[in-house]
């Protein structure tokens, strides 16, 4: 990696991959099977991105003693059906191919369980593009400590990339907050699941609407990074 090449860390659901109902239908199915109330579609959509156990407890109001069974049934649905419902967002494969051709390192940081994230990316044939794929622990039922939050997952991706400098790309406030906590800029993508204004309020450096715009903003941030690094290396006091 050259000093002018800043790695890019991508979120997964809502950024690279459109779950296309696979997540929300899986949650609804698990809740119905257990006779629990199913939130409306707007609330179900809001559950995409944050930690699943938090969303189930705080949005779907799942009783804590039933959380583990809801997660288990959801995961069964998602592996059997939900992954097949998902699709790549337009332009994502082209972006990853161009980065790979240019030797531009990329990684994934998602709150989806890490093994499941590998399966989703492999299903779409893009897992080989990433230098690292990082997610939460398989146990999503713990309220505290497990799975890891977005800040820790992004930190793990940075360690894998062997750098302290990267650009985060995501579609929810958790992505922005995790990036800022690690000293990174975050570009928000409008095609995900954030309510209007969420990404701006969270502190994203830009919110893009197309893949072409995303690549352009990444290029501008890289140029800023290159200039900053050049200034440091030419400073005689360093």
């Amino acid at each position: 990696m050259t000093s002018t090449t800043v790695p890019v860390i991508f979120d997964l659901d809502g950024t690279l991959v459109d779950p296309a109902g696979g997540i929300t239908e899986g949650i609804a199915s698990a809740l119905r099977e257990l006779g629990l109330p199913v939130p409306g579609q707007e609330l179900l959509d809001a559950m995409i991105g944050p930690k699943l156990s938090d969303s189930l407890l705080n949005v779907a109001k799942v009783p804590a003693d039933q959380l583990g069974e809801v997660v288990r049934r959801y995961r069964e649905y998602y592996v059997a059906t939900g992954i097949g419902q998902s699709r790549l967002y337009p332009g994502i494969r082209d972006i990853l191919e161009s980065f790979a051709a240019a030797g531009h390192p990329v990684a994934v940081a998602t709150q989806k369980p890490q093994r499941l994230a590998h399966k989703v990316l492999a299903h779409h044939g893009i897992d080989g593009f990433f230098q690292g794929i990082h997610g939460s622990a398989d146990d999503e039922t713990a309220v505290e400590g497990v799975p890891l939050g977005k800040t820790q997952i992004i930190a793990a991706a940075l360690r894998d990339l062997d750098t302290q400098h990267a650009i985060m790309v995501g579609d929810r406030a958790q992505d922005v907050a995790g990036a800022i906590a690690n000293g990174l800029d975050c570009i928000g993508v409008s095609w995900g699941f954030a309510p209007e204004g969420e990404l701006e309020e969270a502190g994203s450096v830009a919110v893009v609407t197309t893949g072409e715009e995303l690549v352009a903003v990444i290029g501008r941030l890289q140029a800023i990074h290159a200039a900053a690094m050049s200034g440091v290396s030419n400073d005689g006091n360093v």
Side-chain angles (χ1 to χ4, degrees):
M1 183 176 70
T2 68
S3 61
T4 60
T5 303
V6 182
V8 179
I9 302 173
F10 290 93
D11 174 50
L12 180 51
D13 292 319
T15 300
L16 295 173
V17 173
D18 179 359
I23 292 177
T24 55
E25 289 178 22
I27 293 172
S29 175
L31 294 173
R32 281 194 295 267
E33 288 176 7
L34 293 172
L36 296 171
V38 177
Q41 190 61 48
E42 184 176 349
L43 288 178
L44 286 171
D45 286 344
M47 295 173 71
I48 301 174
K51 186 164 60 176
L52 178 61
S53 58
D54 285 351
S55 291
L56 289 172
L57 290 169
N58 300 322
V59 178
K61 305 301 182 184
V62 172
D65 62 351
Q66 293 184 274
L67 179 61
E69 184 61 18
V70 173
V71 169
R72 186 188 69 79
R73 294 185 185 221
Y74 163 74
R75 284 299 170 214
E76 286 183 351
Y77 177 96
Y78 187 77
V79 171
T81 304
I83 292 177
Q85 293 176 265
S86 66
R87 57 179 181 264
L88 291 180
Y89 284 107
I92 291 299
R93 188 180 301 276
D94 291 341
I95 291 171
L96 296 175
E97 287 177 349
S98 66
F99 282 178
H104 193 149
V106 292
V108 167
T110 174
Q111 293 198 119
K112 187 184 291 297
Q114 188 162 303
R115 285 193 296 184
L116 192 54
H118 276 272
K119 289 183 180 180
V120 173
L121 295 168
H123 173 79
H124 292 287
I126 61 173
D127 54 320
F129 288 117
F130 300 102
Q131 186 167 324
I133 298 170
H134 294 271
S136 67
D138 291 329
D139 178 7
E140 294 180 83
T141 63
V143 177
E144 295 182 359
V146 177
L148 296 175
K150 201 63 180 254
T151 296
Q152 293 91 341
I153 294 169
I154 293 172
L158 287 170
R159 289 193 296 271
D160 211 25
L161 291 164
D162 192 25
T163 182
Q164 294 180 326
H165 305 286
I167 298 165
M168 182 71 198
V169 179
D171 75 305
R172 296 302 307 270
Q174 291 84 1
D175 302 314
V176 183
I180 292 172
N182 283 282
L184 310 182
D185 288 330
C186 183
I187 303 169
V189 298
S190 66
W191 54 78
F193 293 90
E196 185 175 354
E198 177 182 287
L199 293 165
E200 293 88 346
E201 183 177 348
S204 59
V205 296
V207 177
V208 299
T209 60
T210 66
E212 291 81 1
E213 190 179 356
L214 174 60
V215 171
V217 174
I218 290 172
R220 289 200 295 270
L221 291 177
Q222 284 213 2
I224 293 170
H225 172 80
M229 292 302 294
S230 175
V232 169
S233 62
N234 290 329
D235 186 347
N237 294 323
V238 175

